[in-house]
Amino acid sequence: MHPILPPLLARAPAVPAPANDVSAGTARRSADVAAPAPVADAASLRVAVVVASLGRPELITQMQELMARQCQPPERLLFSVTGAQDL
């Protein structure tokens, strides 16, 4: 672990769980909030993936292969890099 993180974590204030906590199963939709419309079928989904990377060209190659194997492959796969050496 980074040498600065333990002291910072030790000083971090405890954050109480919200009353409307999804992980606790207490989340409720307000009556005035509309539920999202269901997706008619997966073919109508449009997916784009953006990946920022620096100095990890082997992981970029793996990412491309994994994205191509998804049941709903992304329509666009964009990589934000500093130069050709990162691809």
Side-chain angles (χ1 to χ4, degrees):
M1 184 178 279
H2 193 278
I4 296 177
L5 287 179
L8 287 177
L9 293 174
R11 289 184 283 164
V15 178
N20 199 11
D21 186 2
V22 173
S23 64
T26 61
R28 302 286 181 262
R29 182 174 297 280
S30 175
D32 60 337
V33 176
V39 176
D41 63 274
S44 67
L45 291 176
R46 296 178 64 193
V47 177
V49 176
V50 178
V51 178
S53 184
L54 176 62
R56 300 179 294 180
E58 67 285 346
L59 292 178
I60 295 289
T61 302
Q62 289 176 354
M63 174 73 72
Q64 288 174 308
E65 293 167 358
L66 291 171
M67 289 294 115
R69 289 190 287 182
Q70 297 299 306
C71 61
Q72 178 68 41
E75 185 176 314
R76 299 266 190 253
L77 183 55
L78 305 170
F79 294 99
S80 176
V81 296
T82 58
Q85 72 277 5
D86 295 327
L87 290 174

